[in-house]
Amino acid sequence: MSKKYHVSLTVNGDEYECLAEPQMTLLDVLRDELKLTGTKEGCATGDCGACSVMVDGRLTCSCLVLAPEAEGRSVETIEGMAKDGELHPLQQKFLEMNGLQCGICTPGILVAAKALLDRKPDADEMEIRYWLAGNLCRCTGYDKIIRAVMAAGEEMKGA
Amino acid sequence: MHDILEKSGFNPDANYKVVGTSPIKHDGYDKVTGRAKFSADAFAPGMLVGKVLRSPHPHAIVKSIDTSKAEKLPGVKAVITREDFPEKKAGTGAGDMTRIAMAREKVYWEGHPVAAVAATSERIAKKALKLIEVDYEVLPFVIDEVEAMQPGAPILHDYLRTKGATGADADKPTNIVERSVLKQGDIEKGFAEADVVIERSFDSKPMHQGYIELQSCIANTSDDGQVDLWCCTQAPWVYRDRLTAIMDIDSSKIKIQQSELGGGFGGKTTFYIEPLAVALSRKAKAAVKMTMTRAEVLKGTGPVSGTHAKIKIGAKKDGTIVAAQSELSFQTGPYTGSAFVNAQQAIWTRYDIANVETLCYEVVSNRPKVASFRAPCVPQIIFGAEAVITELAQAIGMDELDFRLKNAVAKGHTTIYGQKFDEIGLIETIEAAKNCDHYKSPVPEGQGRGIACGFWFNRGGETTGTMSLAPDGTVNIILGTADVAGSRMSMAMMAAEEFGIPVDRVRATLADTNALGFNRVTAGSRTTFSSGMVVVNNARQIIGELCSRAAKMWKVPEEGVIFEDGFCRPASSNVGDFEPMSMKEISSKTTYTMGAISAHSEMNVTGAGPGFAVHIVDTEVDKETGFVAVKRYTIVEDAGKMISPIQVEGQLQGAAVQAIGWALNEEYIYGADGRLQNAGFLDYRMPVASDVPMIDTVIVEVPNPKHPYGLRGVGEVPLTPGPAAIGNAIANAIGVRPTSLPMSPPKLLALMKSAKA
Amino acid sequence: MPDLRFEAPGSLADAVKLLVAAEGPARVLAGGTDVVVQMEMDMIEPALLVDIKRIPDMGRIVQEEGGFRIGAAASGMEICEHEALCAAWPGIIDGVKLIGSVQVKGRATITGNLCNASPGADSVPPMVTAGALAHVVGPNGERDVPVEQIPTSPGKTSLGKGELIESFKLPARPKNSGDAYMRFTPRTEMDIAVVGVAVNLTLDEAGVCTAARVALGAVAPTVLLVPECADALIGTKVDDAALAKLAAAASAACQPIDDKRGTKEFRIEGTGVLARRVAQKAYERARANA
């Protein structure tokens, strides 16, 4: 029996605890232990961005964070993006502008795009494209994703 | 035969309220909040974790497998090998399928499953895999299909004989599965009439479908042999029937529920881990969850066929194409199933050419078995075909689009494979391309522009579905086809249009295999068309039933009731003075009128309208490095009539970027050891957001008269001319013709150097 | 297979002690963007991971003696967001910006980039041309090592058992000097360099190059610091003739391999092309840094 590590962390403002094997990742903890499956696995090597989360305010691939490293950290996931029953402007624009097709990359892209717009709501097309280069999407050709992010930024600026 | 297939009721003058709008899709809400349940997002009570042991060799005899140490590891609940699957004769459909799922006599590619383990944790399962001892006798291997065709090449299957072969070698073991010729006219005579002849060779490498959702499934086999399978699939019924075929389980005992599908593009029309999960679950007597890694997906699941093509084409000075001859070879992996016939039929199906001969070879080699991908086998062949079309136009000195227009097929044309075209939109599409802003704008300095024209048949086929009316007057649809990118919404929209109610009052869900009769795979751009036919037919049945119930309630003859915008009304004042009755009023009183109102349709849908597209691409090539930047991309395509324009645009834009990936960088790279070198998203280079421009769309609507809403499939057409258009753009940018996919920087740099020399 | 042990010591001394006492393979964990991936891909099976991020000050980026001190655990994004560092060493920033996506840079460190000892590491050539020193701490005390002496071959470093990098020292940026890094990849992002070139040069008031360092990535088992390339630039105004000489020297220095990421021919030719482009950019930056 390999040693398990006690991990206590905050996810979307709520406290959680679990026991994790040291080779487990934060992604495994979120999905398999906490059953927060909105964060997706697409590669487990940091190359697709489907597992994007915020760790202590920093955009990160949760597949690259080992579970014990998450001890005491504050994590934000897609499940925490809508606040007080209201969709975030990004979520709303993705719906209205068809920024998603199959939807598997969508949570990661929304988390990553929010990290950008929170710093820079007026990011232009190329800034958004380069910021989201770590998030693969195979359905949309990115066009409607980029437009939806720009539209959401526009709305966040006005807010 | 259903009436709707004969007389679709398509009305070119109708004004639609819902069809043609772009409402938010109902499945979108859970997808933006992380609540949508994809295949890996499910858990079952007492669930074990399954992992697969895969062959490190591209070709080897599996002499023995010793699982005893793995079985003894605490936490291991089942280990399976070939012994756990019934013998099916090699070279038959079931024989091939079972050997792809789990190797039997030999392993045929690096990544071929040889054993699988179910354990209480992933770590234990992975540890157990390392304890399985496989004794291989390593054999010589062959990766490339042209090499596999040569005399003396390592033979994969001793039993294989070439279908369609004649002569002395016809009864010798070979890697050529099939030799097939499709021809019309007199090819010699045709070339004799030509003023200009172009002849070139092309090749392409396999690319992967690249869906982001890893295959994942949960299988539970009850002690009496019932199988409950949850998985991501484009083909639940096909998976069921194949499980029956390879595992001898009655279909009635297998229930497959499809999850949300995180991308498929054809790659999820065939199973991989699913039979292993079923076998593990049967042995372990527990539910087993299996999820592939990305490396397993790239090594173990179907890429597309790599190809070689020799193409010769001739035209008269006036621009008439008179002859086209080609010899095409297709990689299929170790077993048949490349669907090369698509390419054989589609290579020239844009042009009316009197003399055509297309010779095809399907060849086995030590690669993963290919799987379907958007217009299987067609884009990589059109890459060469549209290159020589462009070169012909340039040689004759005609505008490229005028040249294509001059030879374009139209209504009444009979194809080489015998289909007589009804209304098609090729001419309208080419004309729209000529008139679009992109084509009319000058090519920016330093860039090259490419044009190509593509085609896909679009399919129909066996489709089932039900529809029911709830007491509150809302409508539920159960669909047999998968929702690959928004078809539930399109179905809801067509139903809402039929009933004249808001689309919010209609919901569509995806059936499990017990809920409906057989459905063909969700592929071939058939879904919105075929399930749409079923949905409209069901809606019309329900409307008939609503009128019948209203007639009963009013005590008037059925002919006296009409249905309009969600209400039954008297057909005229002669019928009586009745207030219109809503769907809700009727359906809330079904207790008194013969029971609930629902409808079902089972069809073998015909009448799919072929689709055509023109792509216009501007590229800039770094002449010192061979780096290609796609600067502008426009797709012009006939969609028949659009149900949801925003979804149609999305299909086109997504296809364009897949085409960019295929054209520029995506490929399977093998080492000298026959192992895949780039089994990860770092080195399997799919386009990222910063690699591509916005994708403009110009959508032409030439309605398909065979569908009640005039639609044509749009899933595959938009990929078919993509690599060709990019190839033509690069050729025009650098002044020399690239002939090998992908057109990666080292290849282009070498090409530019050789042109200079 | 030994079970994995994870430790997150609170002091450098404890980290060294853990590493010295390790039975079986041990790895220092900073950003983890190589270590975790290599574990996932079954390329490594460490028995011990020592997470250095809980050691105080390991993430610091501070000005020191006119230059900078960068702690071993500072993430790529933290480095890219440090305005003074960006202004002084834009070539290093060019390199750090290319280490994976925003997500990866949120974790990845230049320490890991160096110690992973891949010849294609993007931050290494500009760190080499900058003359950066790695501050190494171990059981036998502390030492400063030029960064180019850390990797010895792909995947191997000169660090002894129990040694780890605590921080890097970047020198002060002289007036009229500038650096730049570029790489070639088939995609715009999310790739490993097929070739990479860094140039750091200093000019006199007339714009004549008085000192230069040129480093090449992904064309040899380790990043190469090529004096012949520097010689091509020194004493010139980085004109066409100098650039041609530089390109030839850069191509000549390459000892590349054919692999999935590029061919030998492509790497040799591409290195020359990039060397020219990078030197021009470094020259522009030096001119602007009057």
Side-chain angles (χ1 to χ4, degrees), chain B residues 298-320:
Chain B
L298 286 165
K299 286 184 180 179
T301 72
V304 311
S305 287
T307 57
H308 284 77
K310 285 183 214 158
I311 302 179
K312 184 179 171 190
I313 189 165
K316 291 194 211 170
K317 273 190 201 130
D318 70 355
T320 311

PDB file of all heavy atoms in Angstrom, chain B residues 298-320:
ATOM      1  N   LEU B 298      -3.706   8.140 -29.977  1.00  0.00           N
ATOM      2  CA  LEU B 298      -2.954   8.338 -31.220  1.00  0.00           C
ATOM      3  C   LEU B 298      -2.377   7.022 -31.739  1.00  0.00           C
ATOM      4  O   LEU B 298      -2.332   6.798 -32.943  1.00  0.00           O
ATOM      5  CB  LEU B 298      -1.855   9.387 -31.005  1.00  0.00           C
ATOM      6  CG  LEU B 298      -2.408  10.821 -30.907  1.00  0.00           C
ATOM      7  CD1 LEU B 298      -1.355  11.767 -30.347  1.00  0.00           C
ATOM      8  CD2 LEU B 298      -2.896  11.339 -32.252  1.00  0.00           C
ATOM      9  N   LYS B 299      -1.963   6.139 -30.835  1.00  0.00           N
ATOM     10  CA  LYS B 299      -1.381   4.870 -31.283  1.00  0.00           C
ATOM     11  C   LYS B 299      -2.431   3.804 -31.559  1.00  0.00           C
ATOM     12  O   LYS B 299      -2.198   2.915 -32.373  1.00  0.00           O
ATOM     13  CB  LYS B 299      -0.427   4.319 -30.222  1.00  0.00           C
ATOM     14  CG  LYS B 299       0.879   5.047 -30.130  1.00  0.00           C
ATOM     15  CD  LYS B 299       1.801   4.376 -29.125  1.00  0.00           C
ATOM     16  CE  LYS B 299       3.113   5.127 -29.033  1.00  0.00           C
ATOM     17  NZ  LYS B 299       4.027   4.532 -28.064  1.00  0.00           N
ATOM     18  N   GLY B 300      -3.521   3.901 -30.834  1.00  0.00           N
ATOM     19  CA  GLY B 300      -4.445   2.766 -30.868  1.00  0.00           C
ATOM     20  C   GLY B 300      -5.715   2.963 -31.643  1.00  0.00           C
ATOM     21  O   GLY B 300      -6.433   2.000 -31.905  1.00  0.00           O
ATOM     22  N   THR B 301      -6.052   4.175 -32.002  1.00  0.00           N
ATOM     23  CA  THR B 301      -7.331   4.389 -32.690  1.00  0.00           C
ATOM     24  C   THR B 301      -7.061   4.914 -34.097  1.00  0.00           C
ATOM     25  O   THR B 301      -5.950   5.312 -34.425  1.00  0.00           O
ATOM     26  CB  THR B 301      -8.238   5.381 -31.938  1.00  0.00           C
ATOM     27  OG1 THR B 301      -7.713   6.706 -32.069  1.00  0.00           O
ATOM     28  CG2 THR B 301      -8.344   5.037 -30.461  1.00  0.00           C
ATOM     29  N   GLY B 302      -8.136   4.929 -34.864  1.00  0.00           N
ATOM     30  CA  GLY B 302      -7.972   5.099 -36.299  1.00  0.00           C
ATOM     31  C   GLY B 302      -7.514   6.460 -36.746  1.00  0.00           C
ATOM     32  O   GLY B 302      -8.190   7.460 -36.521  1.00  0.00           O
ATOM     33  N   PRO B 303      -6.379   6.506 -37.426  1.00  0.00           N
ATOM     34  CA  PRO B 303      -6.109   7.713 -38.192  1.00  0.00           C
ATOM     35  C   PRO B 303      -6.779   7.551 -39.563  1.00  0.00           C
ATOM     36  O   PRO B 303      -7.508   6.596 -39.796  1.00  0.00           O
ATOM     37  CB  PRO B 303      -4.589   7.705 -38.310  1.00  0.00           C
ATOM     38  CG  PRO B 303      -4.211   6.259 -38.330  1.00  0.00           C
ATOM     39  CD  PRO B 303      -5.279   5.531 -37.541  1.00  0.00           C
ATOM     40  N   VAL B 304      -6.499   8.451 -40.453  1.00  0.00           N
ATOM     41  CA  VAL B 304      -7.048   8.356 -41.812  1.00  0.00           C
ATOM     42  C   VAL B 304      -6.026   7.649 -42.702  1.00  0.00           C
ATOM     43  O   VAL B 304      -4.886   7.447 -42.317  1.00  0.00           O
ATOM     44  CB  VAL B 304      -7.380   9.744 -42.389  1.00  0.00           C
ATOM     45  CG1 VAL B 304      -8.178  10.562 -41.401  1.00  0.00           C
ATOM     46  CG2 VAL B 304      -6.125  10.501 -42.778  1.00  0.00           C
ATOM     47  N   SER B 305      -6.450   7.304 -43.896  1.00  0.00           N
ATOM     48  CA  SER B 305      -5.553   6.617 -44.830  1.00  0.00           C
ATOM     49  C   SER B 305      -4.491   7.566 -45.363  1.00  0.00           C
ATOM     50  O   SER B 305      -4.818   8.637 -45.867  1.00  0.00           O
ATOM     51  CB  SER B 305      -6.344   6.099 -46.031  1.00  0.00           C
ATOM     52  OG  SER B 305      -7.130   5.006 -45.677  1.00  0.00           O
ATOM     53  N   GLY B 306      -3.244   7.142 -45.297  1.00  0.00           N
ATOM     54  CA  GLY B 306      -2.203   7.782 -46.091  1.00  0.00           C
ATOM     55  C   GLY B 306      -2.341   7.266 -47.516  1.00  0.00           C
ATOM     56  O   GLY B 306      -2.838   6.156 -47.729  1.00  0.00           O
ATOM     57  N   THR B 307      -1.942   8.067 -48.467  1.00  0.00           N
ATOM     58  CA  THR B 307      -2.208   7.695 -49.862  1.00  0.00           C
ATOM     59  C   THR B 307      -1.046   8.052 -50.774  1.00  0.00           C
ATOM     60  O   THR B 307      -0.213   8.903 -50.444  1.00  0.00           O
ATOM     61  CB  THR B 307      -3.436   8.467 -50.394  1.00  0.00           C
ATOM     62  OG1 THR B 307      -3.195   9.872 -50.258  1.00  0.00           O
ATOM     63  CG2 THR B 307      -4.693   8.097 -49.648  1.00  0.00           C
ATOM     64  N   HIS B 308      -1.016   7.401 -51.918  1.00  0.00           N
ATOM     65  CA  HIS B 308      -0.208   7.851 -53.043  1.00  0.00           C
ATOM     66  C   HIS B 308      -1.144   7.955 -54.243  1.00  0.00           C
ATOM     67  O   HIS B 308      -2.080   7.164 -54.379  1.00  0.00           O
ATOM     68  CB  HIS B 308       0.922   6.871 -53.349  1.00  0.00           C
ATOM     69  CG  HIS B 308       2.065   6.965 -52.386  1.00  0.00           C
ATOM     70  ND1 HIS B 308       2.019   6.420 -51.125  1.00  0.00           N
ATOM     71  CD2 HIS B 308       3.279   7.560 -52.505  1.00  0.00           C
ATOM     72  CE1 HIS B 308       3.162   6.670 -50.507  1.00  0.00           C
ATOM     73  NE2 HIS B 308       3.949   7.364 -51.310  1.00  0.00           N
ATOM     74  N   ALA B 309      -0.902   8.926 -55.089  1.00  0.00           N
ATOM     75  CA  ALA B 309      -1.776   9.132 -56.244  1.00  0.00           C
ATOM     76  C   ALA B 309      -0.948   9.530 -57.461  1.00  0.00           C
ATOM     77  O   ALA B 309      -0.084  10.403 -57.366  1.00  0.00           O
ATOM     78  CB  ALA B 309      -2.795  10.234 -55.928  1.00  0.00           C
ATOM     79  N   LYS B 310      -1.216   8.843 -58.570  1.00  0.00           N
ATOM     80  CA  LYS B 310      -0.659   9.293 -59.845  1.00  0.00           C
ATOM     81  C   LYS B 310      -1.845   9.767 -60.662  1.00  0.00           C
ATOM     82  O   LYS B 310      -2.793   9.002 -60.883  1.00  0.00           O
ATOM     83  CB  LYS B 310       0.018   8.131 -60.578  1.00  0.00           C
ATOM     84  CG  LYS B 310       1.348   7.736 -60.014  1.00  0.00           C
ATOM     85  CD  LYS B 310       1.958   6.625 -60.875  1.00  0.00           C
ATOM     86  CE  LYS B 310       2.747   5.678 -59.993  1.00  0.00           C
ATOM     87  NZ  LYS B 310       2.938   4.356 -60.600  1.00  0.00           N
ATOM     88  N   ILE B 311      -1.790  11.011 -61.080  1.00  0.00           N
ATOM     89  CA  ILE B 311      -2.953  11.588 -61.748  1.00  0.00           C
ATOM     90  C   ILE B 311      -2.543  12.186 -63.082  1.00  0.00           C
ATOM     91  O   ILE B 311      -1.535  12.895 -63.181  1.00  0.00           O
ATOM     92  CB  ILE B 311      -3.615  12.676 -60.863  1.00  0.00           C
ATOM     93  CG1 ILE B 311      -4.020  12.079 -59.504  1.00  0.00           C
ATOM     94  CG2 ILE B 311      -4.830  13.263 -61.558  1.00  0.00           C
ATOM     95  CD1 ILE B 311      -4.664  13.057 -58.551  1.00  0.00           C
ATOM     96  N   LYS B 312      -3.331  11.882 -64.107  1.00  0.00           N
ATOM     97  CA  LYS B 312      -3.096  12.423 -65.447  1.00  0.00           C
ATOM     98  C   LYS B 312      -4.423  12.986 -65.928  1.00  0.00           C
ATOM     99  O   LYS B 312      -5.462  12.310 -65.818  1.00  0.00           O
ATOM    100  CB  LYS B 312      -2.614  11.300 -66.356  1.00  0.00           C
ATOM    101  CG  LYS B 312      -2.244  11.726 -67.757  1.00  0.00           C
ATOM    102  CD  LYS B 312      -1.768  10.496 -68.542  1.00  0.00           C
ATOM    103  CE  LYS B 312      -1.598  10.839 -70.012  1.00  0.00           C
ATOM    104  NZ  LYS B 312      -1.367   9.638 -70.824  1.00  0.00           N
ATOM    105  N   ILE B 313      -4.383  14.195 -66.428  1.00  0.00           N
ATOM    106  CA  ILE B 313      -5.631  14.830 -66.856  1.00  0.00           C
ATOM    107  C   ILE B 313      -5.375  15.644 -68.118  1.00  0.00           C
ATOM    108  O   ILE B 313      -4.292  16.211 -68.297  1.00  0.00           O
ATOM    109  CB  ILE B 313      -6.222  15.692 -65.707  1.00  0.00           C
ATOM    110  CG1 ILE B 313      -7.627  16.190 -66.061  1.00  0.00           C
ATOM    111  CG2 ILE B 313      -5.301  16.851 -65.353  1.00  0.00           C
ATOM    112  CD1 ILE B 313      -8.400  16.718 -64.857  1.00  0.00           C
ATOM    113  N   GLY B 314      -6.348  15.681 -69.005  1.00  0.00           N
ATOM    114  CA  GLY B 314      -6.178  16.417 -70.256  1.00  0.00           C
ATOM    115  C   GLY B 314      -7.399  17.259 -70.591  1.00  0.00           C
ATOM    116  O   GLY B 314      -8.537  16.904 -70.258  1.00  0.00           O
ATOM    117  N   ALA B 315      -7.143  18.394 -71.221  1.00  0.00           N
ATOM    118  CA  ALA B 315      -8.240  19.281 -71.614  1.00  0.00           C
ATOM    119  C   ALA B 315      -7.968  19.857 -73.000  1.00  0.00           C
ATOM    120  O   ALA B 315      -6.818  19.895 -73.458  1.00  0.00           O
ATOM    121  CB  ALA B 315      -8.393  20.414 -70.603  1.00  0.00           C
ATOM    122  N   LYS B 316      -9.049  20.287 -73.635  1.00  0.00           N
ATOM    123  CA  LYS B 316      -8.895  21.007 -74.899  1.00  0.00           C
ATOM    124  C   LYS B 316      -8.621  22.479 -74.601  1.00  0.00           C
ATOM    125  O   LYS B 316      -8.893  22.970 -73.513  1.00  0.00           O
ATOM    126  CB  LYS B 316     -10.203  20.904 -75.696  1.00  0.00           C
ATOM    127  CG  LYS B 316     -10.491  19.506 -76.221  1.00  0.00           C
ATOM    128  CD  LYS B 316     -11.598  19.611 -77.259  1.00  0.00           C
ATOM    129  CE  LYS B 316     -12.454  18.374 -77.284  1.00  0.00           C
ATOM    130  NZ  LYS B 316     -13.655  18.536 -78.097  1.00  0.00           N
ATOM    131  N   LYS B 317      -8.137  23.173 -75.622  1.00  0.00           N
ATOM    132  CA  LYS B 317      -7.825  24.598 -75.462  1.00  0.00           C
ATOM    133  C   LYS B 317      -9.036  25.420 -75.034  1.00  0.00           C
ATOM    134  O   LYS B 317      -8.909  26.445 -74.375  1.00  0.00           O
ATOM    135  CB  LYS B 317      -7.299  25.159 -76.781  1.00  0.00           C
ATOM    136  CG  LYS B 317      -5.792  24.987 -76.938  1.00  0.00           C
ATOM    137  CD  LYS B 317      -5.287  25.787 -78.137  1.00  0.00           C
ATOM    138  CE  LYS B 317      -3.962  25.245 -78.617  1.00  0.00           C
ATOM    139  NZ  LYS B 317      -3.921  25.005 -80.063  1.00  0.00           N
ATOM    140  N   ASP B 318     -10.233  24.946 -75.426  1.00  0.00           N
ATOM    141  CA  ASP B 318     -11.446  25.709 -75.068  1.00  0.00           C
ATOM    142  C   ASP B 318     -11.839  25.487 -73.605  1.00  0.00           C
ATOM    143  O   ASP B 318     -12.825  26.048 -73.132  1.00  0.00           O
ATOM    144  CB  ASP B 318     -12.602  25.334 -76.004  1.00  0.00           C
ATOM    145  CG  ASP B 318     -13.121  23.918 -75.762  1.00  0.00           C
ATOM    146  OD1 ASP B 318     -12.516  23.184 -74.930  1.00  0.00           O
ATOM    147  OD2 ASP B 318     -14.125  23.546 -76.387  1.00  0.00           O
ATOM    148  N   GLY B 319     -11.081  24.648 -72.907  1.00  0.00           N
ATOM    149  CA  GLY B 319     -11.359  24.455 -71.482  1.00  0.00           C
ATOM    150  C   GLY B 319     -12.156  23.203 -71.164  1.00  0.00           C
ATOM    151  O   GLY B 319     -12.468  22.958 -70.002  1.00  0.00           O
ATOM    152  N   THR B 320     -12.473  22.396 -72.171  1.00  0.00           N
ATOM    153  CA  THR B 320     -13.216  21.166 -71.884  1.00  0.00           C
ATOM    154  C   THR B 320     -12.251  20.086 -71.405  1.00  0.00           C
ATOM    155  O   THR B 320     -11.289  19.757 -72.091  1.00  0.00           O
ATOM    156  CB  THR B 320     -13.917  20.655 -73.164  1.00  0.00           C
ATOM    157  OG1 THR B 320     -14.627  21.739 -73.759  1.00  0.00           O
ATOM    158  CG2 THR B 320     -14.859  19.507 -72.847  1.00  0.00           C
TER     159      THR B 320
END
